[in-house]
Amino acid sequence: MVDQAFADPSLAALYDSLNPWGPGDDFYLGLLREAGSVLDIGCGTGQLLRRARAEGHPGRLVGLDPAAAMLVQARRARPDVEWVLGDVRVRHWRAEFDLVVMTGHAFQELVADEEIRVCLRAARTALRDGGRFVFETRNPGARPWERWTPDRVHEITAPDGAPVRVWHETLGTGPEHGRVRFTETYAGPRWPAPRSVHGVLRFLDAVALEGFLAKAGLTVAAQYGDWNRGPLTPTAPEIITVARPA
């Protein structure tokens, strides 16, 4: 199921403003520069692939996302990238890519065990020999959901110039079976009242991630705790994983 915040065109148009280019994007862009062919699973509006092509990346760039509203933004900005609507079950790539990525914590949108297994098997199958699958997930040891409170408001400007306020609120006291439920609320002149959408994210620690990867035929080549390639400590903000075919 596509997250409502990604499926609604009016909300999808705000995604890039809510998620401006940052250190994580620089990290992935460096990997793209070294890869001849790239598959971006859960590409959203395609910021990463769009930037790579704008820089002159000459190879094959493929963005996959299940939200049509997000891909509308991607196609409009960069029609010379291959954009595919759907998830990993709609297209079967076999040994076609040097690099497969999942950015923007897209991996955490895989809530059920079977969703994770299907995605990882597809990523493994899509990789050429020597290729890499790189993704990140928020480290549950850092307990980021405790900072998702209504008093932490993001103020952005919509494409039409209208101001928009956005905040998050965790539902419950934290993870239940590794899943955190939350609301994302938008307020601005385009809506008569604040509009809330619901979401669920899956949190896995490094040991659990390694287990899922191993069953998919992938092995951990490196893991980092931040975008500067710092060590993965118990409370590091991220679990950034570089995996290779086993």
Side-chain angles (χ1 to χ4, degrees):
M1 184 178 296
V2 178
D3 191 305
Q4 187 181 354
F6 303 148
D8 186 309
S10 67
L11 301 184
L14 302 174
Y15 183 85
D16 287 353
S17 295
L18 271 173
N19 300 274
W21 191 272
D25 301 291
D26 288 328
F27 176 90
Y28 283 107
L29 185 60
L31 299 176
L32 262 69
R33 290 174 178 142
E34 302 170 355
S37 53
V38 182
L39 170 63
D40 186 349
I41 299 174
C43 66
T45 61
Q47 284 192 91
L48 181 64
L49 299 184
R50 285 157 41 195
R51 177 71 69 89
R53 186 67 88 205
E55 282 194 354
H57 191 292
R60 185 184 182 192
L61 301 176
V62 180
L64 173 70
D65 201 277
M70 299 291 271
L71 289 187
V72 166
Q73 308 292 323
R75 290 192 179 102
R76 181 181 298 142
R78 204 79 215 188
D80 56 350
V81 171
E82 185 179 343
W83 306 110
V84 180
L85 177 64
D87 58 25
V88 294
R89 296 170 295 184
V90 304
R91 187 81 64 85
H92 298 286
W93 291 285
R94 296 188 180 279
E96 297 181 40
F97 298 96
D98 303 309
L99 176 68
V100 176
V101 299
M102 291 186 76
T103 73
H105 302 107
F107 186 81
Q108 290 187 259
E109 299 284 339
L110 304 173
V111 176
D113 286 1
E114 184 59 20
E115 289 179 300
I116 294 172
R117 286 191 285 263
V118 168
C119 183
L120 292 180
R121 286 196 297 264
R124 168 64 182 88
T125 302
L127 284 174
R128 292 176 175 148
D129 290 342
R132 293 181 291 180
F133 172 48
V134 187
F135 66 100
E136 89 285 340
T137 178
R138 298 175 184 87
N139 184 359
R143 304 181 66 82
W145 55 85
E146 294 180 346
R147 297 182 290 279
W148 299 346
T149 56
D151 61 300
R152 298 171 65 93
V153 178
H154 302 276
E155 297 184 358
I156 61 172
T157 302
D160 62 2
V164 179
R165 300 169 69 246
V166 185
W167 63 90
H168 300 81
E169 184 171 7
T170 301
L171 302 178
T173 58
E176 296 180 5
H177 307 292
R179 296 160 178 82
V180 171
R181 301 180 183 277
F182 65 96
T183 58
E184 184 174 49
T185 302
Y186 298 77
R190 66 174 60 197
W191 302 287
R195 180 176 180 185
S196 293
V197 296
H198 292 260
V200 183
L201 295 177
R202 180 75 179 270
F203 282 81
L204 296 170
D205 61 23
V207 174
L209 284 171
E210 188 171 2
F212 276 110
L213 289 165
K215 290 179 180 178
L218 293 160
T219 186
V220 175
Q223 281 185 320
Y224 310 109
D226 59 46
W227 298 114
N228 292 320
R229 290 179 167 82
L232 176 57
T233 64
T235 58
E238 305 283 351
I239 303 176
I240 303 163
T241 300
V242 180
R244 292 187 181 276

